[in-house]
Amino acid sequence: MQSPYKAVKVTEDVWWVGAIDWNIREFHGYQTRRGSTYNAYLVMADKITLIDTVKAPFQGEMLARIADVVDPERIDYIVSNHSEMDHSGCLPEVIAVVKPEKVFASQVGARTLRELFPSETLEITAVKDGENLSLGNRTLAFLETRMVHWPDSMFAYLKEEELLFSQDAFGMHYASLERFDDQVDPAILAFEAATYYANIILPYSPLVLKLLEKVAAAGLTFKVVAPDHGPIWRRDIGGILSSYAKWGAQEPTAKGVVVYGTMWHSTEMMARAISEGLSAGGLDVKLMSMEQVHRSDVIYELLCAGALAVGSATLNNQVLPGMADILTYLKGLKPKNLVGAAFGSYGWSGEAVGQIEAVLAEMKVESAGEGIRVKNVPDAATLTRCYELGLKMAEKVKGRL
Ligand code: FEO
C-alpha cells in the first residue's frame, strides 16, 4: 500500500517533507492550541540535500514524504540548521537510514548535536558564517543566527531560488495541511506569528534586529521564506519581515495589560479600578485573571504594550502560585519598554506587592508609583487610588509614544 504522506512542492527543486503534529498543546510552557508542524525540506539538486529533520516520533512520516520524491538512500547531504530536538530528534536514525556523504551544522551546532546524542558517533562537518556549500547546480549559503533560537542556529539560503531556510525564525505553531501563507486565513497567520514571537523569540529581540540588519547588508532577497514551523511564506514575505522588525524594536503602544490573581475578589476589585483608570487615560486595556487565562496569552498581549500592572493577594507570605508562574515566565521573556505598578490585598502580612515590585524592577519596568496594598477589602478611597494609578500609568505611556 502506498503511504498517505506526500511531499509538497515548494519551488522547482525544493519539496516540503516535514511532519504535522496535530495534537501538541504544550511547548516549554507555551500553550500551542493549534498544534504545530516540524518542517523539513528536500533540495533536489545534483547533491540531494535534506534541510533539517523532525521530532523523533515523526521520523516515519518524514521518511515517507521523502520517499514520495526520491529514495531516502539517495540523499547526499543533511543540513541541520538548528539542533533543538523538534528538528533533530530523529537525526541519528535518519543518518543510519540515509547514510549521507556529509552532515552539516554550524560550529556550535556540531558540538551541540554531539552533546545531545552522547551515545552516537555523529560525524558532523561544521560550516562557518558566510560559507557557501556547492550542491552542484545549486548553492547554499550559511548565515549564523545565534540565539535565534539557540546558540547553534543558522539560516541556509538557496541562492539560485532566493529561498531562505530560516529554521525557528518567522515560524508559528500551526498544524495544517495547507503549506503556504496564501492558503491560510490572514487573521490566523497574524495571531499565531505574534504569539510565537512573544513566547519564543522575544528575549532575543536585540539579536533579531541585528540579524535583520545583517540580512539587509548582505543584500539577500527572498522569493520564499521556509521556516521550521508552520506555513511557508511566499506571498507576504515583506509582512513577516516588517513584523519582526516591529516586534524586535518593542516600541510601546497605547495599550495596558493588567494581570492579577485574587482570593476573595479584593485584588480583582483593585485590578478593575486600575483598568478603568488606564482606559480613561486613553489606553486600550486587557484585564487578565491568571485563574482564567494562560501565560502564553499574557505575553502575546504584552508584545509592544506600554503598561503592565500586576496584582496578587498574599498567600502564606507569598504571591499566589499562578502569579509566581506568570512572573517567572515574564522575567525570562524580558518584554521591554513598559511602565508598571504592583497592587494587591492581604489579610495580615501582605508581602505579595513587594515581591511583585522586585520582579518588575528586575525586568527594568519603569515604576509608575508605589504599589498599592490593602488589608482585606478595598474601600472607596483605595479604589480611587487604584483608578488614579491607572491614569498615571497611561500618562507615562503616552509620554513615550
Ligand atoms: Fe523549533 Fe528551537 O526549535
Side-chain angles (χ1 to χ4, degrees):
M1 190 186 120
Q2 275 202 330
S3 164
Y5 297 121
K6 308 297 182 193
V8 178
K9 196 164 193 156
V10 178
T11 63
E12 195 50 38
D13 294 314
V14 176
W15 297 78
W16 175 85
V17 291
I20 306 171
D21 191 345
W22 295 96
N23 294 326
I24 188 167
R25 291 293 181 271
E26 147 69 29
F27 210 99
H28 318 324
Y30 165 13
Q31 190 175 55
T32 52
R33 292 192 192 97
R34 287 189 165 107
S36 193
T37 65
Y38 313 113
N39 298 337
Y41 300 95
L42 193 63
V43 183
M44 291 300 293
D46 291 342
K47 289 287 190 185
I48 298 173
T49 302
L50 177 64
I51 309 283
D52 285 321
T53 63
V54 296
K55 200 171 176 180
F58 296 88
Q59 175 195 338
E61 181 175 336
M62 183 190 73
L63 287 172
R65 293 192 198 275
I66 293 170
D68 186 41
V69 180
V70 69
D71 181 344
E73 291 189 33
R74 286 191 52 212
I75 290 172
D76 299 290
Y77 296 156
I78 297 177
V79 171
S80 170
N81 277 336
H82 180 22
S83 56
E84 190 165 7
M85 271 89 102
D86 45 337
H87 312 295
S88 72
C90 64
L91 183 62
E93 289 81 4
V94 170
I95 290 172
V97 171
V98 167
K99 301 177 198 67
E101 193 181 315
K102 284 191 166 183
V103 179
F104 299 94
S106 70
Q107 292 181 310
V108 180
R111 190 173 68 233
T112 306
L113 286 169
R114 288 189 202 103
E115 289 166 358
L116 291 174
F117 301 103
S119 60
E120 307 284 340
T121 322
L122 295 180
E123 298 272 336
I124 314 278
T125 303
V127 293
K128 292 189 181 126
D129 186 38
E131 191 171 328
N132 287 337
L133 172 68
S134 173
L135 310 181
N137 60 338
R138 293 283 181 268
T139 310
L140 275 179
F142 299 111
L143 201 70
E144 275 187 0
T145 63
R146 289 191 183 205
M147 297 318 296
V148 184
H149 165 228
W150 272 12
D152 63 284
S153 293
M154 67 176 186
F155 287 171
Y157 180 65
L158 190 63
K159 289 186 173 179
E160 293 80 3
E161 311 214 5
E162 296 177 45
L163 189 158
L164 181 71
F165 298 107
S166 64
Q167 42 94 30
D168 278 349
F170 313 122
M172 69 186 72
H173 288 310
Y174 179 54
S176 70
L177 282 161
E178 294 74 40
R179 288 276 64 77
F180 298 97
D181 63 332
D182 49 279
Q183 299 168 325
V184 179
D185 180 344
I188 292 177
L189 289 179
F191 175 76
E192 293 299 345
T195 302
Y196 178 96
Y197 188 96
N199 281 277
I200 294 185
I201 310 286
L202 186 63
Y204 314 114
S205 288
L207 297 168
V208 167
L209 296 181
K210 279 192 187 152
L211 179 59
L212 292 175
E213 277 172 22
K214 187 171 162 180
V215 165
L220 300 185
T221 50
F222 308 123
K223 287 184 177 155
V224 178
V225 172
D228 273 1
H229 299 287
I232 297 162
W233 302 93
R234 66 180 179 187
R235 180 176 64 184
D236 195 16
I237 294 169
I240 188 66
L241 290 175
S242 64
S243 290
Y244 266 56
K246 182 179 76 176
W247 298 331
Q250 291 188 72
E251 301 276 347
T253 60
K255 177 177 180 184
V257 179
V258 181
V259 185
Y260 70 95
T262 197
M263 285 172 70
W264 294 106
H265 303 292
S266 291
T267 302
E268 181 180 17
M269 288 164 71
M270 300 170 81
R272 294 191 67 151
I274 290 171
S275 301
E276 295 286 335
L278 286 168
S279 178
L283 301 197
D284 294 333
V285 179
K286 278 284 167 185
L287 178 61
M288 309 184 89
S289 157
M290 288 315 299
E291 282 97 58
Q292 308 302 333
V293 303
H294 194 271
R295 64 179 88 84
S296 305
D297 300 317
V298 175
I299 193 66
Y300 164 78
E301 294 294 349
L302 268 179
L303 187 61
C304 300
L308 168 65
V310 181
S312 179
T314 297
L315 174 70
N316 299 329
N317 312 109
Q318 308 293 325
V319 294
L320 288 170
M323 297 311 299
D325 178 306
I326 188 62
L327 287 169
T328 299
Y329 200 58
L330 294 182
K331 196 164 74 169
L333 289 169
K334 302 183 176 71
K336 287 192 176 21
N337 301 327
L338 291 165
V339 169
F343 61 95
S345 75
Y346 64 96
W348 53 94
S349 59
E351 291 89 345
V353 170
Q355 291 168 1
I356 293 167
E357 285 181 318
V359 175
L360 294 180
E362 266 188 84
M363 289 169 60
K364 300 192 170 41
V365 173
E366 184 192 330
S367 171
E370 198 181 332
I372 301 179
R373 296 161 79 236
V374 65
K375 192 159 186 287
N376 289 319
V377 174
D379 58 13
T382 306
L383 292 177
T384 300
R385 280 176 61 212
C386 290
Y387 178 87
E388 285 167 353
L389 181 61
L391 275 178
K392 194 169 166 193
M393 290 173 78
E395 195 180 308
K396 276 186 174 285
V397 171
K398 284 164 75 182
R400 292 171 154 204
L401 302 180

